[in-house]
Amino acid sequence: MSPAPKLFRVIGGAQNYDWGKLGSTSAVARFAKLNDPENVSIDEEKPYAELWMGTHPSVPTVSAQDRTPLRDLVRAAPEEMLGQEIIDKFGSKEGIPFLFKVLSIRKVLSIQAHPDKTLARQLHASDPKHYPDDNHKPEMAIAITDFEAFCGFRPLAEIDALLQKIPEFRELVGDDVATEFHSGVGSADVAGKKRLLQKVFSRVMNSPESKFEPLAASLVERTKADPQLFGETLADLIQRLDAQFPNDIGLFCGCLLLNHCILKSGEAMFLEAKDPHAYISGDIMECMAASDNVIRAGFTPKFKDVEVLVDCLTYSFNPVEEQKLNPAPFPRATGDAELKLYDPPIDEFSVLQTTFTSAGSEKFEGLDGPSLLIVTEGKGKVKLQGSDGALDASTGNVFFVAPRAAIELVSESKDTFTSYRAFCEA
Ligand SMILES: [Zn+2]
């Protein structure tokens, strides 16, 4: 194997999970086809849920030139491909510390939370079947089309109002806990309020099917008979998700207890460890640390670890606006593009959005770690600064950029040209 160049095109792997958008309505399918037209054909009946870019062994990303897995290239030359600082910091020469994805979502994903590092170690030691590794799993989602999700618990006053006016919710939680919650909601004692929220959540999550299924059916009927009681948006949401997962506990633990966030293209959210969330619909760029640790709560046929879930959550409650991650400027580049840095408070990744709306170029300093860049709109060129060999960079194309490689993006027209670059620095 000859040494890999510092900038080269790669091909990610698509995943056909059931919740993905169908055929060419899916950004995943369109991007996969555009990046590998000879080998990918879109089946309009099939869901295309995720496009993986990284070194995860189960869905390899490969070099476009000779189909060598990126993971093999990294393992053959870890210092060149990752940088010594990254190897030292994350203790591995095996792969890139993050996984970068495109997601195209047609049906709600399971309501879930992820452990932090300490809890991940405990869970993996005691139950390796359900918790396959000992790492945390911070996740960030950036909308590329209108996107909706559940993110964190609603402000307590909202939950209280719902408990007061929706009889099915009150019955599920119980009069005793609902009354206690109502009298404690105005208190200044934050820890006390979190305990009350935990009581409500625990009642919901521990209710048997024989109890919550008829209540869910009655709840859905009520949204049809009296949508004003819920507000149009919430009534519509409950009906849509009930059509996907009839009489599911998620109608309560998701729709009534969690914030319903709607993000416009370019808006982002960072999902803190031990906060409940679920993606509902839309197309996003997602970046995450390499881990598979998920604790599920609803909208899933998979294992729900209710005890761990109820015990571990932070029970933070914040309004929707505070769940969003505001992008920062990126000073380490010069040129004509607009740059937005999405920099969550973790080590494994940041994501840089670069948008041109006119012809021009943008020169980037080399980054101190590996990066993956995907074009999500328009077309242009990408090259190493000072080299002649510019590569075409059109929608769907994905590139690996080695540590310290200073690249340049070039737009040749006034059409929008947008890319996202995930990177990791020590
Ligand atoms: Zn998640």
Side-chain angles (χ1 to χ4, degrees), residues 16 20 23 141 219 247 297 311 356 364 370:
N16 302 94
L219 175 78
N247 301 335
D311 187 55
F356 291 90
F364 300 83

Side-chain angles (χ1 to χ4, degrees), residues 110 112-114 137 139 271 275 277-279 286 288 293-294:
S110 53
Q112 55 188 252
H114 306 291
K137 194 190 184 201
E139 295 172 326
L271 306 160
D275 262 358
H277 58 272
Y279 301 152
E286 189 191 47
M288 62 177 61
N293 284 320
V294 181

